[in-house]
Amino acid sequence: MIRELKTLIVVAREGTFAAAGSKINLTQAAVSAQMQRLEAELGFELFDRKGRSAHLNRRGQQILLQAQEVIRLCNNLGSAAPGAAPSVQVDIGAIASFQRSLLPSALAQFHRARAECRTRVIPGLSLELLSAVDSGEIDMAVIIRPPFALQSDLCWTTLASEPYRLIVPRNLPAAEWADILVSQPFIRYDRSSFGGRQVDRFLRQLHISPREVCELDELEAITELVGKGVGVALVPQTLTRKRWPSSVRALDLGASTFHRDIGLVHHAHVVLSEQVKLLVDLITEMATREGLALHDRDIPELGKPGKE
């Protein structure tokens, strides 16, 4: 029955027998046969069969939760010490900036509430993590909103909308931000990331071709390079950024300001386990509190072009 339960999970995620079959290299008929065997074993139907879609009914949703737990336990066989309490693992992907900001606090609360659980944090670029969620390799991910529509079976929750700033060395003479972009060496936010693509679109829309000296993905490294006088950069002011380093100034882009949306993505049509739901709620609540606190915080005024 393990094979059938694994197939059930894929069917629930993909929405049709045909799509599920293509994921696990089976024909649609083979997937259908497995689901029929599973229903015969259980003694009741799992799906509301309408057209080509395979929507789980109420009992099917219950079996799905149990199937996910059974597969987790099977995967963990032999990994715990004899007599130890069974461990449930939650896999979460996260971009680097979120790993350094809110994620540790959310994980600490989660482990205090669910001592029997383990978590695994998978780093990566947003596109990689989005693909891992879509394929079911991980339970959820915190990523930058992609520049394209998400698949209909994925659920998106915005955690923060982070404005981009032009950061410049502290001792750079005051000037209009557009003039600075044209005249100064430019450190580019990696174009292979969703955030870097936003910078690229912004520059192309304004017909600005900066003199590039370096391209990288790590925001802290970009900020440090600016502080060392290597160049200027367009980077998001992250949710937990209380102040910029003393070696840089952050210039507001005014009406041209664009934003990087950070959000939580997971499957919409698969019933989340109790443990995954808890971690989703903790991350969402923590981001909401941090966002509210940011508005009340006494943050030093951003550098204005021509006024510093």
Side-chain angles (χ1 to χ4, degrees), residues 269-281:
H269 301 319
V270 173
V271 177
L272 301 179
S273 70
E274 181 182 340
Q275 295 84 2
V276 173
K277 280 183 180 178
L278 175 60
L279 187 52
V280 167
D281 291 342

Side-chain angles (χ1 to χ4, degrees), residues 23 45 47 57 80 98 153 182 185 218 225 257 259 274 308:
K23 286 284 184 179
E45 293 187 350
F47 298 92
N57 57 30
F98 191 77
D153 63 337
V182 172
E218 174 54 55
L225 285 172
T257 300
H259 294 76
E274 181 182 340
E308 286 195 20

Side-chain angles (χ1 to χ4, degrees), residues 64-87:
L64 176 63
L65 282 176
Q66 294 173 328
Q68 291 170 331
E69 188 63 21
V70 166
I71 299 305
R72 286 184 187 276
L73 290 173
C74 287
N75 291 339
N76 291 333
L77 281 175
S79 62
S87 178

Side-chain angles (χ1 to χ4, degrees), residues 48-68:
D48 290 326
R49 291 175 170 82
K50 295 179 180 178
R52 296 183 178 180
S53 298
H55 295 298
L56 290 171
N57 57 30
R58 183 179 60 81
R59 299 188 77 173
Q61 295 280 2
Q62 294 172 345
I63 294 300
L64 176 63
L65 282 176
Q66 294 173 328
Q68 291 170 331

